[in-house]
Amino acid sequence: MDKVQGKRRPVDPMRHHRENGWDYKGRAIYHFTLPVEERFPLFGTLEGERAETAFVRLNPFGRRVCQMLCGLAQFYAGKGFALKVLAQKVMPDHVHLCVGLHPTIAVASFVHDLKIATGNFMRSRRDLFPMFERWESSYGAFTYAEADKERVVGYIKNQKEHHKRVNTHDEMVAILKEFGIEYDERYI
């Protein structure tokens, strides 16, 4: 409650909408999918005959992207962001990230900054990233509860098996439907 001239003022329900028992200081868990422009399989190939034997063969470019993503927490810590990478998976035409973000970090700002920073870095190092042009303008960002963290991390780690059964487009549609999100087919 706010104090005004030594007196307690009643809580304004329109201004104070926090639920009792909720911790608003912890990190929110997000699952991001970042596709390469035009979904081009820039990072490698998905191989194996069946889901049980599927694997991603990253090319040197894909391995470099994987290394770069491993350094995200340090990179953002240097810029004052509180970020924890819980899981990542580089697929041939997109990247999955599961991160814990402090609630003061806006999701759109985070994704924008991530795409700009990684894109600029890759374009500045053409010797390491000769084929990268840009990330697709669209992306997926899904919020999960702390209780769902292990399920989401497992889902990301098992992408190679998953994509042997479901292509990227159908996967995104399924996630959007799971969350009850309307979408425009042109942007999937």
Side-chain angles (χ1 to χ4, degrees):
M1 290 199 183
D2 298 326
K3 288 188 176 185
V4 178
Q5 297 176 345
K7 297 180 182 179
R8 289 185 155 242
R9 180 170 57 188
V11 174
D12 177 356
M14 297 305 288
R15 186 170 152 238
H16 297 280
H17 55 276
R18 294 186 173 189
E19 298 286 331
N20 288 331
W22 284 83
D23 177 12
Y24 289 88
K25 297 176 186 160
R27 285 173 176 39
I29 298 169
Y30 292 94
H31 173 199
F32 295 104
T33 59
L34 305 172
V36 173
E37 183 179 41
E38 297 183 17
R39 311 298 198 278
F40 184 76
L42 191 59
F43 302 139
T45 58
L46 183 61
E47 299 182 8
E49 294 300 317
R50 299 184 322 272
E52 301 80 37
T53 60
F55 65 98
V56 177
R57 184 181 305 277
L58 292 177
N59 57 28
F61 181 58
R63 287 191 294 276
R64 292 277 186 189
V65 170
C66 190
Q67 291 170 349
M68 183 178 62
L69 293 175
C70 287
L72 278 180
Q74 285 181 312
F75 174 78
Y76 280 100
K79 298 194 171 288
F81 284 101
L83 169 74
K84 183 172 184 180
V85 178
L86 303 169
Q88 67 167 25
K89 189 66 170 180
V90 177
M91 296 301 292
D93 61 352
H94 65 285
V95 171
H96 287 268
L97 287 172
C98 182
V99 298
L101 290 178
H102 192 275
T104 59
I105 300 173
V107 171
S109 295
F110 169 75
V111 173
H112 177 264
D113 292 346
L114 173 66
K115 289 166 93 175
I116 293 292
T118 56
N120 285 346
F121 176 75
M122 288 191 278
R123 283 187 296 275
S124 75
R125 296 295 313 266
R126 286 288 182 200
D127 57 320
L128 300 176
F129 305 101
M131 300 185 310
F132 182 82
E133 290 300 323
R134 66 182 57 88
W135 295 107
E136 188 75 43
S137 60
S138 62
Y139 63 90
F142 306 96
T143 310
Y144 289 90
E146 180 71 26
D148 295 320
K149 180 169 66 174
E150 294 306 315
R151 182 177 64 88
V152 176
V153 167
Y155 172 78
I156 290 171
K157 288 182 177 180
N158 290 316
Q159 282 297 297
K160 59 186 180 283
E161 294 90 359
H162 179 72
H163 279 290
K164 273 302 194 180
R165 292 187 297 265
V166 180
N167 66 35
T168 304
H169 176 273
D170 293 344
E171 173 190 32
M172 184 57 69
V173 168
I175 292 172
L176 292 168
K177 286 180 178 179
E178 175 188 347
F179 278 84
I181 298 171
E182 292 182 21
Y183 59 92
D184 186 330
E185 189 69 34
R186 295 175 298 174
Y187 302 108
I188 303 294

